[in-house]
Amino acid sequence: GRAVQLRLAVPLMHSKDGDSQGHAASLVLQDLEDEVFGIEDSPSWTSLQDYLVHVVQHMPNEQARALCELVRRAARMCDEANELTAACRPELTAKFEVRLTSGTPASVLLCMMKPGGHEPRTNWTVNQMSERLERMREAYQVYVRTRYTDLDPLDDPWVEVHPGDVWARVRDLEVRLENACMENNVLETKNAGAVARAIMIWT
């Protein structure tokens, strides 16, 4: 493996007096933490690079640097998620992509695409995807050991759970708890009655 450094050369934005407005003139993405991960070989990065260059040239230098770093992190996560999905959940035919919103400032989203790859099935922020990616790794480790891939929908990192489904599950657990408590009360009452009868017999 080898470490890869990518330099984005972005044109300066000049003011009327010829001075730089502090826009990104040169953004250097630091050597990647994982030498195996080459930015130039990342499908997630490649598909977004041209648009990212267009976006950062209209941003202050520090904001542009922060956005490039966030996109780099998102691309790394996206590629790993695609590898994990192909390895242990191929039946999903899911593909993850990094996208930038058109707002100001731009936001970074990780999208799980619908089959065909044209429309997002769901969108997650970088932080949300980070938590899901951790669970994907855990699911992959379970798959490696057991070849088991069936997950509870509420625990499945590839599934966006509807709030109504969460409420239904909570309600189901509440009903089960209520029934268990009622059964426990009945058993306690029976046991108390049995003890009382035994005392009466012996006295």
Side-chain angles (χ1 to χ4, degrees):
R2 54 190 172 84
V4 179
Q5 181 173 327
L6 178 68
R7 183 182 181 88
L8 295 183
V10 184
L12 282 169
M13 299 282 292
H14 295 282
S15 63
K16 293 182 179 179
D17 59 6
D19 294 331
S20 171
Q21 295 295 310
H23 289 276
S26 177
L27 298 179
V28 180
L29 300 183
Q30 301 296 324
D31 289 346
L32 298 173
E33 298 173 1
D34 184 355
E35 293 185 356
V36 177
F37 180 87
I39 281 289
E40 65 200 24
D41 299 324
S42 165
S44 300
W45 176 270
T46 301
S47 64
L48 195 61
Q49 183 178 350
D50 291 342
Y51 182 60
L52 178 62
V53 172
H54 170 73
V55 170
V56 298
Q57 66 181 326
H58 301 293
M59 299 175 66
N61 191 54
E62 289 305 314
Q63 288 186 13
R65 286 180 181 277
L67 180 63
C68 283
E69 176 58 30
L70 191 61
V71 171
R72 187 184 71 159
R73 179 187 172 197
R76 185 160 57 241
M77 295 167 59
C78 204
D79 289 338
E80 184 180 359
N82 283 328
E83 292 175 0
L84 292 172
T85 302
C88 63
R89 298 296 296 277
E91 75 280 0
L92 295 180
T93 62
K95 180 182 178 182
F96 292 88
E97 292 183 2
V98 182
R99 293 194 173 185
L100 288 175
T101 64
S102 58
T104 304
S107 298
V108 181
L109 295 176
L110 290 97
C111 307
M112 184 167 66
M113 309 303 294
K114 294 179 180 179
H118 300 296
E119 296 182 9
R121 179 183 299 172
T122 186
N123 301 314
W124 293 313
T125 65
V126 173
N127 288 338
Q128 289 172 331
M129 186 62 190
S130 178
E131 185 272 334
R132 286 182 177 271
L133 185 58
E134 184 62 33
R135 288 193 282 139
M136 288 180 187
R137 294 180 186 128
E138 294 174 357
Y140 174 73
Q141 292 302 322
V142 172
Y143 170 76
V144 169
R145 294 193 306 269
T146 67
R147 297 300 173 182
Y148 181 80
T149 60
D150 291 333
L151 299 173
D152 186 298
L154 294 186
D155 296 326
D156 192 333
W158 285 271
V159 173
E160 180 71 17
V161 181
H162 190 278
D165 295 331
V166 176
W167 181 89
R169 177 65 65 83
V170 170
R171 182 55 188 155
D172 178 64
L173 292 175
E174 289 177 343
V175 170
R176 293 187 184 186
L177 179 60
E178 291 173 0
N179 291 338
C181 289
M182 292 177 61
E183 291 176 2
N184 187 59
N185 290 336
V186 170
L187 289 175
E188 288 181 350
T189 301
K190 288 182 178 179
N191 289 337
V195 170
R197 286 194 297 271
I199 293 174
M200 291 175 64
I201 292 173
W202 285 100
T203 57

